[in-house]
Amino acid sequence: MLKTVSLGLILARMISKFIYTKVLGWKLVGEFPEEPKKFVAIGAPHTSWKDFPIAILARNSFGVKINFIGKKSLFKPPFGFIFKWLGGTPVDRSKSNNLVESIIDIFNSREEFRLGLSPEGTRKKVDKWKTGFYYIAKGAGVPIIMFTLDFGKKQVAISEPYYPTDDIEKDFKVFTEFYKDVKGANPDQF
């Protein structure tokens, strides 16, 4: 089956790749796979506002659609439409609702869905990562793909798909190993 891609998407990919590689001097290591069509992508370290534009430029350079969630206040006027246009969905973190189950339902209702998350859940320094991304992947039966936001090497590196096991400690060791030499924009925050 022939895939049709709009001229706008091709142009956005070319412009993003030019800015990402030529203007900013970053590189892409690895690729987001076309298969599977569903996965949770975790990006770390998340230590600065700069992480978001770097991740969006990298995503666009790869030419793969990866959605994200963000706090509800980001989606308010006058700039909220930009976050929606970029693939974002607002979440109300002030209410106690089961966000993990809601996202699993999204995965189960679609043939194709890729969700990008920061396992830290914030730009501030944290002692341990949140586990929501892990339980989303397990509940939806999808792999986790890790990607770095490495300001030391100026690169985004992508892992192979990793299917979580029933041993969370073992799985988190795999994640820790992947990110061990990565430097964030604010290295003291990671």
Side-chain angles (χ1 to χ4, degrees), residues 20 48-58:
Y20 181 78
S48 166
W49 65 269
K50 299 172 193 172
D51 301 335
F52 182 74
I54 291 294
I56 293 295
L57 285 169

Side-chain angles (χ1 to χ4, degrees), residues 68-150:
F68 62 91
I69 56 174
K71 59 185 173 182
K72 195 166 116 179
S73 61
L74 291 174
F75 294 86
K76 291 183 178 176
F79 301 111
F81 75 95
I82 294 172
F83 291 104
K84 284 184 181 176
W85 177 72
L86 290 171
T89 300
V91 293
D92 187 353
R93 297 190 299 189
S94 67
K95 293 182 178 172
S96 77
N97 52 12
N98 196 334
L99 186 58
V100 169
E101 285 299 322
S102 297
I103 295 172
I104 290 170
D105 289 343
I106 293 170
F107 271 101
N108 291 335
S109 70
R110 298 189 184 176
E111 287 187 36
E112 185 173 322
F113 188 69
R114 299 170 186 97
L115 178 65
L117 296 170
S118 163
E120 296 132 308
T122 181
R123 292 184 305 254
K124 298 174 187 150
K125 186 174 178 111
V126 296
D127 293 327
K128 63 181 186 172
W129 284 359
K130 305 236 181 223
T131 56
F133 75 92
Y134 182 80
Y135 291 108
I136 290 167
K138 284 205 50 89
V142 300
I144 295 169
I145 295 180
M146 298 162 272
F147 69 94
T148 63
L149 295 165
D150 193 336

Side-chain angles (χ1 to χ4, degrees), residues 23-84:
V23 175
L24 299 177
W26 279 61
K27 61 185 169 188
L28 305 167
V29 179
E31 288 191 29
F32 282 104
E34 287 189 33
E35 295 291 335
K37 299 253 183 242
K38 298 180 187 183
F39 58 78
V40 174
I42 58 170
H46 183 31
T47 64
S48 166
W49 65 269
K50 299 172 193 172
D51 301 335
F52 182 74
I54 291 294
I56 293 295
L57 285 169
R59 176 198 72 180
N60 290 351
S61 296
F62 283 110
V64 77
K65 182 180 179 182
I66 298 176
N67 298 86
F68 62 91
I69 56 174
K71 59 185 173 182
K72 195 166 116 179
S73 61
L74 291 174
F75 294 86
K76 291 183 178 176
F79 301 111
F81 75 95
I82 294 172
F83 291 104
K84 284 184 181 176

